[in-house]
Amino acid sequence: MDPELIKDCVHCGFCLPTCPTYVLWGEEMDSPRGRIHLMSQHVEGTPVTPEMAGHFDACLGCMACVTACPSGVRYDRLIEQTRAVVEREHVRAPEERAIRELVFALFPYRRRLRALRLPMRLATRLRPLLERVHPSLGAMAELVPPPARPVRLPPRVHAVGRRRATVGMLVGCVQSQFFPQVNAATARVLALEGCDVVIPPRQGCCGALSLHSGRDARRFAKATIETFERAGVEAVVVNVAGCGSSMKEYAEVLKDEPGGWAERAAALRVRDLAEYLVELGPVAPRHPLPVTVAYHDACHLAHAQGVRSQPRELLRAIPGLELREIAESAVCCGSAGTYNLFQPGPARELGDRKARHVLATRADVLVSANPGCSMQIAAAMRRSGEGEMRVAHTAEVLDASLRGLGARALGGR
Amino acid sequence: MSDPVLDRLAVRFEELLPAGAVITDPVRLRTYECDGLTHHRAMPGIVVLPETAEQVAAAVRLCGEYGVPFVARGSGTGLSGGALPRTDGVLIVTSRMRRILEIDLPNRRAVVEPGVTNLAITEAVREQGYYYAPDPSSQQVCSIGGNVAENAGGAHCLKYGFTVNHILGLEIVTPDGEIVELSALDPGYDLLGAFVGSEGTLGIATKITVRLSRTPEAVTTLLAAFGSIEGGGEAVSAIIAAGIVPAAIEMMDALAVEAAEAAVGCAYPEGAGAVLIVELDGPRAEVEHQFAAVERICRETGAFEIRVAASAEERAAIWKGRKSAFAAVGRISPAYIVQDGVVPRTALPEVLAGIDRLQEEYGIRVANVFHAGDGNLHPLVLFDDAAPGEGERAATVSGRILDLCIEHGGSITGEHGVGVDKSRYMPKMFTEEDLDTMQLVRCAFDPRSLSNPGKVFPTPRLCGEVPGVRKGVHPLVESGRAEQF
Amino acid sequence: MNAATGPGAALAAAGVTIRPAGPDDAVAGVAPRWVALPETTREIAAVMRVSAAHDLAVVVAGAGTTLHWGRPPERCDVLIDTCCLNEILEHEAGDLVVRVQAGVPVETLTEALAAKGQELALDPPLAGGTVGGLLAAGLAGPRAFRYGTARDLLIGITVVLADGTIAKAGGKVVKNVAGYDLGKLFTGSYGTLGVIADATFRLHPLPAARACVVWSGPTLDEILAAVPAVTASQAEPSAVELDRPAPDGPRAVAVLVEGAAAAERARAVRDLLGGEARIADEPPRWWGRLPEPGFVEPGGPSGGGGVLLEIRTVPSRLPGLFAGALARTDAAVRGSLASAVLRVALPAETDPAAAAAFVSALRAELADEGRVVVLSAPEPVARRVDLWGHVGGLALMRRIKDRFDPDRRMSPGRFVGGI
Ligand SMILES: Cc1cc2nc3c(=O)[nH]c(=O)nc-3n(C[C@H](O)[C@H](O)[C@H](O)COP(=O)(O)OP(=O)(O)OC[C@H]3O[C@@H](n4cnc5c(N)ncnc54)[C@H](O)[C@@H]3O)c2cc1C
Ligand code: SF4
Ligand code: SF4
């Protein structure tokens, strides 16, 4: 934990109201300001006590605090460093360790995830039992969406009309398994906007899960860089907020690696889909889409990448579409990567809170750029019994408009 | 914990409060060691997080039973160390009391718990065309209870007044643990007015009724860049002399602009020696009329660039630099002191010149941000805490700025409060008699001095015997014309 | 007691003008023995020290316009007349601040400020009062809706306590949070905490223009139905006043609009009120005066002789009040529909029992959502009612009184709970 980074914090508290754990519990130790204070205690010699570790573990890594901070505190860096220290110095209880191992063994690997899909469906029925064994297992089961028809994407999708750019596309581990249609929509939108889309077939995990949990992500990062270097693209477009944010950090992750890795990472122009489309400017005609949309700011997009206005801009530009804001939009829905697996209690509370706000918009469709968020909020809405809402990725909404499919095309799974 | 009294008290708290509402673990306790003023630190003996007024009252009564002092804390953004805990005492934090209890638009009021943030009130009524007027720069985080305790102000208080002008009722827990309702409707002494701004020394506010104001029909925000602070100051005087009371007139000097630029990229005009933000609001016809006058005045007093916000976004962009100025200074200086002093508006030029002289004398940079309309200065005294002696020199400069304010008939604090930080300046502003008289109020509320002791007043004073033992039965009672309450 | 060592001699030796009291000096029937005419704060302190040494009860009088309000003092030995504390101490126009001695007549101050294009935005409902009296009685007028009451405009105060201590609080800057706000405590304290020696106020520029929308003749229902839209309107009226001389007599509502473009905004208000309303340059004659029972034509002496009440409530309670207790009497009502502060006067000849029942009925009607204070009443009525009604925090108030005036010598008994 870098004392210089800690010192940037002037203790103003501006970060408190958007911190999900502070919103839930209203206590200093579970606020960004409090966590930074805990870090400084550690730097000053206090060992990592179980209490301290608990407050760091409870952090969702949503980075709302980074957005809110006027002093430019790099909480993102701080918490990553801290998690690494916690992993190193803090001995966890055995069952907690087991759950963590399970998640890290499964999620970053597409094939393992695929294999898991069926058993997970089974698990849905076993949820009460799993819940009793460990709440995390229950959470895993609850989140699983119904299986998606596999979509096979070609290695290259050609631009429609004049080619304006050649871009790479990351398909994402969870996305490609549970939401393959989003990847398909993304590729189509890019192509319709004049991009050749290169989709390297053997791309691995980008390392997001590890990075956000204090584990070593360097191996994943290097592999991903190599993959896209080979693809020969001008930019890498990412439609999963969590993956995008960690890929944008590659240069930082690899800064001490020999072999010019940091420069290679920096050369990879990583862009979120919405960010990229706004940069590129629209050419394809938008067809009317008469729906009301509630747009959810995925933390890894809004806070980690600062992409807030672009998706809204794209959505508003669709004729007939009405965009509604969700109250407390800066507060995390509780999904945050592996959070709902490790901290099912608070994740659930945050999900419920978010679901209430989303339902209050009375929109037809909930749109976000992160499959984790959609899964989380949809589950919470189901649980609440107050009503459900179709969910869609920004790419799917754009796809429906560009292709003139009409409102009904949205949210079909 | 080594203090046996606190140990016993903690056990009693555990019995009384919900699970997880009593904090005794030292690592956790330490996160409460300071508020927004970080150079005063003290680890609280115990922290409690009550959820209801009854719990607060019970906690206060327990403190009384054990003779242990207590300190209230809201969001901990205070800049005078008002919420500095006591090592031998209890910190009562309102951050779990954040329900908006009632919104009553026909009567233009809302009833909220003390932990609700200032901005949350406005957000709850904005769509219906109302807002809560006092707007401290920290409004997104500071609690309304903390606002009441500090009588918080903000940029828009020039026209609309301070917290005290917008509080219609309070439920307080007195230092002896009683719950008392105070209403602006009540005849009798203005206890409401006395409590607001008392910095937690007269008890804890547990429920607050605030006035809601109607959103103005029109708002115009103008940013004018001047070559120098003097030019800006002249514009301010001329605006006031023209009989215009803007919603806000804020000024920043070149250094403050530099910091804001570094932090939020506010893109204020380059080369400005001072930037003036003037906001007019009210009925459209009135605003348009006044706007023309303000624009003319700015030009006449030498503004080299004037920008007018045409939309809510542009207005937000203009304000962004100003509102983030305090914390933003962290970008241009390793450490800094936020000062808060007030001078009569007409004395502004002299005082600013005085601050310039201090900068030279001590080799310390001072960035100036101020509510120019009401003469409230926020000099930010910059220093490098790694450079030996600089911290002390900065503290001296900061103190001498207050001396300047007092010399010119001003005040040592316009909105941040006295707290622990400025209690030693109180005797410079007030005589011993003045302070003793204020102390009478303290003694009436808190004869044992358990509620936030050591704040506001320089030396702890004993209240002594409760005086006024009545000489016999009250004649009105005797004659049956009044009853003893 | 020996004349040379008694209180009279001590007072005479204090270096302050003292005269023996005459029958005209009685305070609500209680005759003082001496009248002191201090010219400075120090002289007040000298009087107070002598009073403390000789256990003399003290009542302070300005112009005496509200001296009969509240209960009569239990005793009164010295009447401090503030007439010689009549200086405007400082008026820095550029700061919009004025500091005045307590005995300055409000009218004098108003004129002096107007000469500089400024005003103290309080409109006391009684003519002829002093600044000190205005503060001690906590009087407010129609524009309180926009500017607040005396406590909101007071920014500094100097007081002399019962033992002669001179203390000040606040200052001469508008924004100031150093120390407790004693000014607020003394505002509306009826002289029971000490003597107000001088006061500092924040001022406002005189409005560039003003216009008043007057609607005469509508029914109360019509008025009450129209007013919420006016108070909530973005035309920002400064005041919305009602005049209802009798339940079945003529009635009028007047809305004051001040500031640039007043005429235009007044038209917006008129449209909200309806076709009958007219725009005038100045408010009607009854504006800002106490209600006058029995006088259909305004202009007579205010509040004299009869029962005068103040109702403070919230706007949503007004219709119920007018349909209920206020409909049934010959009460004259004037006051602000915007801030829901009404003053009610009953004719002097009202039967005391009926007056008391009326007050009770009003209180019952309002319950928690309002207060009814009997500002003044003839003795037979005063005996039958609790003048103040419910007072939150009375125990704390007593404790404050005990600290400030432990011997109960400052206007004893005049105020809430017999303070
Ligand atoms: C960046 C920044 C900008 C700021 N800008 C402004 C500004 O523009 N204007 C301004 O006025 N202030 C400003 N402040 C100061 C601060 O935000 C205010 O003083 C605010 O009112 C404090 O609220 P809080 O909830 O943080 O209170 P805390 O800091 O927790 O407490 C402040 C004081 O209030 C007492 N207290 C808290 N809650 C209660 C309660 N329920 N009952 C009784 N006493 C209580 C505490 O004991 C303490 O004395 C700023 C602070 C920061 C960090
Ligand atoms: S990352 Fe999110 S959860 Fe963690 S401290 Fe910041 S705001 Fe709170
Ligand atoms: S907003 Fe930034 S500086 Fe302020 S407390 Fe949070 S992290 Fe620290």
Side-chain angles (χ1 to χ4, degrees):
Chain A
M1 300 171 220
D2 185 345
E4 286 305 309
L5 291 184
I6 291 175
K7 246 187 58 187
D8 286 341
C9 172
V10 299
H11 219 78
C12 67
F14 277 34
C15 51
L16 266 57
T18 49
C19 172
T21 52
Y22 186 77
V23 166
L24 283 186
W25 304 316
E27 53 185 33
E28 191 70 17
M29 317 67 87
D30 280 307
S31 78
R33 185 175 64 180
R35 292 191 176 109
I36 294 171
H37 193 284
L38 291 172
M39 294 172 196
S40 73
Q41 287 191 38
H42 180 70
V43 166
E44 285 162 20
T46 313
V48 180
T49 64
E51 286 81 15
M52 206 192 259
H55 297 304
F56 291 138
D57 282 351
C59 167
L60 290 95
C62 68
M63 302 311 155
C65 48
V66 176
T67 304
C69 179
S71 294
V73 171
R74 293 301 307 266
Y75 182 85
D76 47 346
R77 302 245 172 102
L78 279 170
I79 192 68
E80 262 165 38
Q81 296 168 359
T82 303
R83 293 211 205 276
V85 172
V86 171
E87 284 300 302
R88 234 178 15 246
E89 296 184 9
H90 176 56
V91 183
R92 295 182 190 281
E95 87 251 15
E96 201 190 333
R97 251 195 341 251
I99 292 289
R100 293 179 83 85
E101 289 312 321
L102 179 65
V103 170
F104 289 116
L106 279 178
F107 277 68
Y109 303 96
R110 270 202 286 166
R111 229 159 331 126
R112 296 186 203 169
L113 265 184
R114 192 152 46 221
L116 191 74
R117 242 173 29 203
L118 212 65
M120 287 252 268
R121 284 260 297 145
L122 253 176
T124 314
R125 261 175 278 151
L126 297 176
R127 212 178 79 204
L129 183 72
L130 290 172
E131 192 107 33
R132 243 175 298 138
V133 179
H134 194 283
S136 292
L137 293 175
M140 264 190 232
E142 191 193 25
L143 289 175
V144 189
R149 251 178 298 118
V151 177
R152 203 166 288 282
L153 289 172
R156 189 175 195 108
V157 179
H158 290 283
V160 176
R162 186 175 67 84
R163 189 178 75 208
R164 303 160 74 205
T166 304
V167 300
M169 183 177 134
L170 184 94
V171 294
C173 322
V174 176
Q175 180 102 298
S176 57
Q177 287 317 306
F178 294 113
F179 301 94
Q181 76 281 9
V182 173
N183 284 338
T186 304
R188 279 195 296 269
V189 169
L190 284 167
L192 284 166
E193 290 287 20
C195 300
D196 264 10
V197 187
V198 182
I199 308 164
R202 241 184 298 283
Q203 42 182 295
C205 173
C206 66
L209 286 182
S210 306
L211 194 61
H212 296 144
S213 316
R215 301 204 159 203
D216 193 352
R218 279 173 298 188
R219 196 164 47 83
F220 292 118
K222 287 183 195 166
T224 310
I225 292 173
E226 277 173 339
T227 305
F228 284 102
E229 279 175 349
R230 272 199 303 274
V233 294
E234 297 158 43
V236 181
V237 174
V238 187
N239 60 12
V240 185
C243 304
S245 79
S246 54
M247 289 179 69
K248 286 180 178 177
E249 280 175 60
Y250 279 173
E252 178 62 24
V253 170
L254 297 173
K255 70 171 185 296
D256 298 328
E257 284 302 280
W261 277 104
E263 291 73 48
R264 289 168 70 180
L268 210 66
R269 276 180 64 214
V270 177
R271 292 289 183 277
D272 171 71
L273 173 67
E275 187 183 20
Y276 185 75
L277 288 176
V278 168
E279 268 176 33
L280 192 67
V283 288
R286 267 75 178 149
H287 300 284
L289 202 58
V291 283
T292 326
V293 160
Y295 178 74
H296 165 72
D297 276 309
C299 296
H300 281 119
L301 192 60
H303 301 309
Q305 303 183 56
V307 176
R308 277 178 292 269
S309 63
Q310 298 91 326
R312 290 177 169 80
E313 191 180 317
L314 292 172
L315 291 170
R316 274 203 204 97
I318 296 175
L321 184 145
E322 188 194 331
L323 183 63
R324 296 216 175 129
E325 287 296 328
I326 301 168
E328 287 188 357
S329 66
V331 177
C332 180
C333 66
S335 123
T338 52
Y339 193 81
N340 42 18
L341 304 179
F342 296 144
Q343 305 270 340
R348 199 182 163 98
E349 274 181 71
L350 287 169
D352 292 345
R353 200 179 168 100
K354 183 62 75 181
R356 269 200 308 279
H357 290 315
V358 170
L359 286 168
T361 64
R362 308 196 160 280
D364 305 322
V365 188
L366 168 67
V367 175
S368 92
N370 213 29
C373 298
S374 309
M375 277 155 70
Q376 165 84 355
I377 303 174
M381 286 196 281
R382 265 199 306 281
R383 211 165 45 226
S384 76
E386 304 276 309
E388 293 193 26
M389 200 180 281
R390 288 178 285 161
V391 299
H393 190 281
T394 318
E396 293 174 277
V397 182
L398 287 170
D399 182 43
S401 166
L402 294 191
R403 294 202 288 152
L405 298 182
R408 229 161 331 139
L410 287 179
R413 294 182 178 116
Chain B
M1 224 183 309
S2 52
D3 186 329
V5 177
L6 290 181
D7 287 344
R8 265 179 285 145
L9 186 54
V11 173
R12 298 283 302 276
F13 278 140
E14 295 275 6
E15 292 164 6
L16 195 88
L17 299 171
V22 184
I23 298 171
T24 52
D25 169 65
V27 167
R28 291 177 171 159
L29 285 175
R30 264 192 70 191
T31 61
Y32 286 96
E33 68 182 3
C34 64
D35 58 12
L37 186 75
T38 52
H39 56 270
H40 292 279
R41 290 166 190 252
M43 185 167 106
I46 301 174
V47 170
V48 294
L49 298 157
E51 285 167 23
T52 64
E54 286 68 31
Q55 289 172 9
V56 173
V60 166
R61 276 197 300 273
L62 267 188
C63 289
E65 196 181 306
Y66 287 81
V68 165
F70 61 88
V71 177
R73 170 172 162 130
S75 302
T77 68
L79 291 172
S80 55
L84 179 75
R86 298 270 304 202
T87 312
D88 61 348
V90 176
L91 191 69
I92 301 179
V93 185
T94 63
S95 55
R96 288 188 180 166
M97 301 174 72
R98 43 188 171 175
R99 284 176 303 161
I100 294 180
L101 301 171
E102 189 191 338
I103 290 175
D104 176 5
L105 292 182
N107 296 319
R108 302 171 157 233
R109 60 183 179 178
V111 185
V112 302
E113 291 186 332
V116 169
T117 63
N118 172 300
L119 189 61
I121 301 177
T122 291
E123 280 175 351
V125 296
R126 183 182 281 140
E127 280 190 12
Q128 288 93 320
Y130 288 84
Y131 73 116
Y132 174 64
D135 61 337
S137 306
S138 50
Q139 67 181 147
Q140 68 198 80
V141 50
C142 60
S143 73
I144 196 75
N147 286 179
V148 165
E150 300 286 4
N151 188 14
H156 291 80
C157 290
L158 176 61
K159 181 169 174 186
Y160 295 104
F162 314 96
T163 301
V164 69
N165 309 113
H166 297 267
I167 300 298
L168 301 174
L170 286 177
E171 174 190 88
I172 63 168
V173 170
T174 64
D176 43 17
E178 255 181 86
I179 299 181
V180 176
E181 296 265 356
L182 306 175
S183 160
L185 299 175
D186 275 331
Y189 300 138
D190 186 359
L191 298 182
L192 200 66
F195 189 93
V196 177
S198 64
E199 305 193 23
T201 59
L202 302 181
I204 302 182
T206 47
K207 197 160 79 184
I208 297 149
T209 307
V210 300
R211 180 201 312 281
L212 300 174
S213 306
R214 187 76 169 88
T215 316
E217 184 180 20
V219 184
T220 303
T221 310
L222 163 151
L223 181 146
F226 291 86
S228 68
I229 280 274
E230 289 73 35
E234 225 180 289
V236 174
S237 300
I239 290 169
I240 301 289
I244 297 171
V245 183
I249 312 185
E250 302 284 304
M251 192 137 82
M252 292 166 76
D253 71 3
L255 203 51
V257 170
E258 182 191 327
E261 187 62 53
V264 294
C266 52
Y268 288 172
E270 256 171 65
V275 158
L276 192 66
I277 300 173
V278 184
E279 189 155 287
L280 297 161
D281 70 12
R284 177 157 293 115
E286 185 182 30
V287 169
E288 280 166 7
H289 191 274
Q290 295 184 336
F291 174 73
V294 169
E295 197 180 16
R296 181 174 41 75
I297 289 169
C298 286
R299 290 210 189 285
E300 283 170 5
T301 48
F304 66 82
E305 184 173 339
I306 293 180
R307 289 184 197 166
V308 183
S311 64
E313 286 81 46
E314 287 182 28
R315 177 169 326 114
I318 288 183
W319 276 109
K320 194 168 181 183
R322 168 61 189 88
K323 294 234 169 187
S324 61
F326 289 179
V329 170
R331 309 253 186 169
I332 59 163
S333 175
Y336 63 94
I337 301 170
V338 180
Q339 192 45 283
D340 167 40
V342 193
V343 295
R345 187 172 35 237
T346 46
L348 265 177
E350 273 173 62
V351 172
L352 289 172
I355 294 178
D356 269 350
R357 281 195 298 277
L358 287 173
Q359 302 198 49
E360 270 167 42
E361 187 178 333
Y362 290 89
I364 290 284
R365 291 189 302 164
V366 179
N368 276 303
V369 175
F370 48 99
H371 308 298
D374 39 31
N376 187 188
L377 303 167
H378 288 307
L380 302 154
V381 185
L382 315 186
F383 64 101
D384 182 352
D385 45 356
E390 230 180 270
E392 288 72 38
R393 271 185 292 145
T396 309
V397 169
S398 173
R400 295 218 20 208
I401 292 176
L402 289 187
D403 291 341
L404 273 176
C405 292
I406 298 172
E407 275 163 35
H408 286 86
S411 167
I412 56 171
T413 169
E415 51 186 22
H416 295 168
V418 178
V420 66
D421 196 43
K422 290 187 174 168
S423 55
R424 64 183 190 283
Y425 293 98
M426 287 289 275
K428 292 191 180 185
M429 191 170 156
F430 294 108
T431 65
E432 196 151 326
E433 286 76 27
D434 301 342
L435 294 175
D436 283 346
T437 305
M438 292 179 191
Q439 198 68 25
L440 293 175
V441 180
R442 171 63 180 271
C443 291
F445 274 82
D446 183 18
R448 296 168 70 199
S449 224
L450 291 180
S451 191
N452 211 3
K455 311 291 168 65
V456 186
F457 298 103
T459 36
R461 270 155 223 263
L462 294 180
C463 291
E465 274 286 284
V466 179
V469 190
R470 273 205 192 85
K471 295 168 181 130
V473 183
H474 193 287
L476 279 177
V477 176
E478 202 173 36
S479 65
R481 281 152 68 192
E483 42 184 343
Q484 200 84 23
F485 290 79
Chain C
M1 205 181 282
N2 186 329
T5 58
L11 278 172
V16 182
T17 311
I18 305 281
R19 65 170 171 82
D24 288 349
D25 297 314
V27 178
V30 182
R33 288 195 279 165
W34 300 279
V35 176
L37 301 144
E39 290 172 35
T40 63
T41 306
R42 281 177 186 288
E43 289 192 8
I44 304 175
V47 173
M48 296 311 296
R49 276 194 303 272
V50 174
S51 303
H54 296 269
D55 189 32
L56 303 179
V58 177
V59 173
V60 190
T65 51
T66 57
L67 211 52
H68 60 291
W69 288 17
R71 294 253 173 222
E74 286 156 30
R75 57 192 189 112
C76 173
D77 301 306
V78 180
L79 184 75
I80 294 185
D81 185 335
T82 61
C83 62
C84 304
L85 290 154
N86 56 4
E87 244 185 282
I88 296 179
L89 300 169
E90 276 176 73
H91 176 211
E92 183 63 68
D95 291 330
L96 284 165
V97 163
V98 72
R99 177 159 164 252
V100 283
Q101 284 190 305
V104 172
V106 175
E107 272 98 0
T108 309
L109 177 62
T110 306
E111 278 168 31
L113 297 175
K116 298 272 180 66
Q118 301 183 346
E119 66 167 342
L120 174 58
L122 288 170
D123 354 63
L126 282 167
T130 61
V131 168
L134 171 76
L135 274 179
L139 285 178
R143 291 184 299 164
F145 178 56
R146 171 154 187 182
Y147 298 102
T149 61
R151 53 95 82 171
D152 297 297
L153 297 174
L154 180 74
I155 59 173
I157 196 166
T158 307
V159 296
V160 182
L161 303 190
D163 63 359
T165 302
I166 299 172
K168 63 180 183 332
K172 56 176 192 173
V173 283
V174 169
K175 209 167 179 186
N176 179 6
V177 294
Y180 294 151
D181 195 342
L182 298 179
K184 296 223 164 41
L185 271 186
F186 274 75
T187 304
S189 67
Y190 277 61
T192 58
L193 290 178
V195 185
I196 298 173
D198 64 60
T200 310
F201 295 97
R202 95 173 266 197
L203 304 173
H204 285 85
L206 276 174
R210 59 189 213 160
C212 194
V213 186
V214 186
W215 185 18
S216 300
T219 66
L220 261 173
D221 288 346
E222 286 172 319
I223 293 176
L224 293 171
V227 159
V230 174
T231 48
S233 99
Q234 290 172 319
E236 279 186 13
S238 296
V240 181
E241 293 283 297
L242 170 80
D243 182 38
R244 192 208 75 172
D248 44 10
R251 47 185 70 86
V253 63
V255 182
L256 181 68
V257 181
E258 293 177 301
E264 198 177 326
R265 289 153 54 203
R267 281 195 293 278
V269 169
R270 187 193 54 197
D271 294 347
L272 287 169
L273 281 179
E276 308 277 290
R278 273 169 223 302
I279 299 176
D281 290 340
E282 289 300 316
R285 274 197 294 162
W286 52 264
W287 179 268
R289 297 275 147 225
L290 294 175
E292 295 140 295
F295 291 97
V296 176
E297 269 304 299
S302 300
V307 179
L308 182 66
L309 316 175
E310 182 167 282
I311 299 175
R312 308 173 191 168
T313 181
V314 291
S316 64
R317 286 306 184 105
L318 294 176
L321 208 55
F322 279 106
L326 283 177
R328 290 193 295 269
T329 63
D330 47 359
V333 182
R334 241 177 231 163
S336 169
L337 297 177
S339 32
V341 176
L342 302 173
R343 302 215 172 89
V344 182
L346 299 179
E349 61 277 9
T350 308
D351 170 52
F358 175 57
V359 172
S360 303
L362 286 172
R363 286 187 180 144
E365 185 124 10
L366 291 172
D368 270 1
E369 287 279 42
R371 305 282 185 271
V372 179
V373 175
V374 181
L375 295 178
S376 76
E379 156 61 29
V381 178
R383 203 172 343 120
R384 285 184 163 81
V385 293
D386 172 358
L387 297 189
W388 308 100
H390 174 80
V391 182
L394 186 59
L396 281 171
M397 291 179 198
R398 286 188 200 289
R399 280 152 64 172
I400 286 182
K401 170 74 173 177
D402 287 346
R403 293 282 171 181
F404 276 79
D405 180 21
D407 301 325
R408 304 192 74 253
R409 291 186 299 100
M410 299 303 305
S411 298
R414 266 189 93 185
F415 204 34
V416 292
I419 281 175

